[in-house]
Amino acid sequence: LRMSRKNTSTWGRQYCPAHPNVPLVEDYRAGDTVCPECGLVVGDRVIDVGSEWRTFADDTGDDPSRVGAAENPLLSGDLTTSIMSTGNNYEMQRLSNRILSSGNDRALVQAFGEIRLMANRLHASQAIVDRANTLFKNMTDTKALRGRSTEANCAACLYIACNQEGATRTFKEICAVCTVSKKQIGKSFKLILRALNTSVEIIKTGDFMSRFCSNLELEHKAQIIATAVARQAVDLDIVAGKVPVTVAAAAIYFTCLAMDIDKSAKEIGDVAGVAETTIKQTFRAMYPSRDKLFPPDFVPKVNLDNISSTK
């Protein structure tokens, strides 16, 4: 039996006058607070904070809760409410109540989507995505990249984030997952470093060796030898003027020849993003110093002197 409603509270606590010590029950369907003993409706207008839909154990997918997405600390998320007063009696007439994102937030959301898309193509981690987003937000605050391509700015932030998180990528790899040129990314890259007063570590051949050898399905020993060859070539100033990714690719090629591993310069170039002719040119620059490049305990499977320098 439903009794008439009566609101009773003390110090903000609602209770039933007839049963003050009995815990009340909240009926979210009706929006009432009810005494379970006598059925008295003690309070109404209860807000349901639960899910919008029912979820069953055998359902797949996310629970369609009303709570929405997690708050992004990089967005302002301001709420704007429009209210108008009419007449001299100050009667308020609400015209609208909308959640409006600022123009900056809309631009940030779009940029974060671009970064996420490029990061997914690179199989980059969430830590890299978060760092790239933060870099882009900081650059937006400084307004240093205003007027430049958003995609180029996102690509430059992602390049820096990969470097700072220890998952170095080349400009060519970044270019492969976007539609802007290396020159555009490079300009944005320099502006970011200057505006944020930050830096990136000097890229070394070892930054790529593990990934390249893994993609080529080379054994771990080959990776160790190739790393040593590349490092020694740099220390002896044999490959002066060559970029690290080219030196790494040439060292892998030289190591495969020495260990009689069937990997062509083209296969290595496809993985490293280096032209076949560039790899062979760098290899020919290394070949005269072959006795100094390999570790002392390394025993090649072929005679290094018989490896043609014209390969």
Side-chain angles (χ1 to χ4, degrees), residues 120-260:
N120 287 342
R121 291 170 179 169
L122 287 173
H123 304 289
S125 66
Q126 183 60 42
I128 293 175
V129 174
D130 292 341
R131 184 179 286 271
N133 288 345
T134 302
L135 285 170
F136 190 91
K137 174 62 167 60
N138 293 340
M139 287 305 302
T140 301
D141 293 341
T142 63
K143 300 180 181 179
L145 294 179
R146 177 175 291 181
R148 293 195 172 274
S149 165
T150 299
E151 189 176 7
N153 297 338
C154 292
C157 289
L158 185 60
Y159 174 81
I160 296 173
C162 288
N163 185 290
Q164 293 179 343
E165 289 292 329
T168 307
R169 295 292 189 274
T170 64
F171 276 116
K172 185 171 289 188
E173 288 177 292
I174 299 295
C175 288
V177 297
C178 63
T179 60
V180 292
S181 66
K182 178 180 176 181
K183 184 177 180 180
Q184 289 176 285
I185 298 174
K187 288 182 178 179
S188 295
F189 167 73
K190 292 178 181 178
L191 283 174
I192 293 172
L193 295 185
R194 190 182 308 119
L196 298 182
N197 194 23
T198 186
S199 62
V200 295
E201 294 183 3
I202 298 175
I203 296 177
K204 302 176 181 177
T205 57
D207 296 333
F208 310 103
M209 201 64 73
S210 176
R211 180 155 48 90
F212 290 170
C213 290
S214 176
N215 292 338
L216 288 167
E217 298 181 349
L218 298 178
E219 57 183 292
H220 185 62
K221 181 180 179 181
Q223 177 187 330
I224 295 175
I225 300 301
T227 302
V229 170
R231 186 185 299 114
Q232 192 69 2
V234 172
D235 292 343
L236 295 175
D237 203 24
I238 298 172
V239 287
K242 300 291 185 181
V243 295
V245 64
T246 299
V247 177
I252 293 174
Y253 178 60
F254 201 170
T255 301
C256 289
L257 292 176
M259 298 182 66
D260 199 20

Side-chain angles (χ1 to χ4, degrees), residues 51-73:
S51 299
E52 194 74 40
W53 309 93
R54 290 191 300 168
T55 305
F56 300 94
D58 57 347
D59 282 351
T60 57
D62 296 332
D63 178 17
S65 300
R66 67 173 73 193
V67 295
E71 181 182 359
N72 190 334

Side-chain angles (χ1 to χ4, degrees), residues 228-229 232-233 236 238 286 288-296 304:
V229 170
Q232 192 69 2
L236 295 175
I238 298 172
M286 292 179 174
S289 304
R290 55 190 176 278
D291 294 333
K292 302 177 183 179
L293 294 179
F294 290 91
L304 295 180

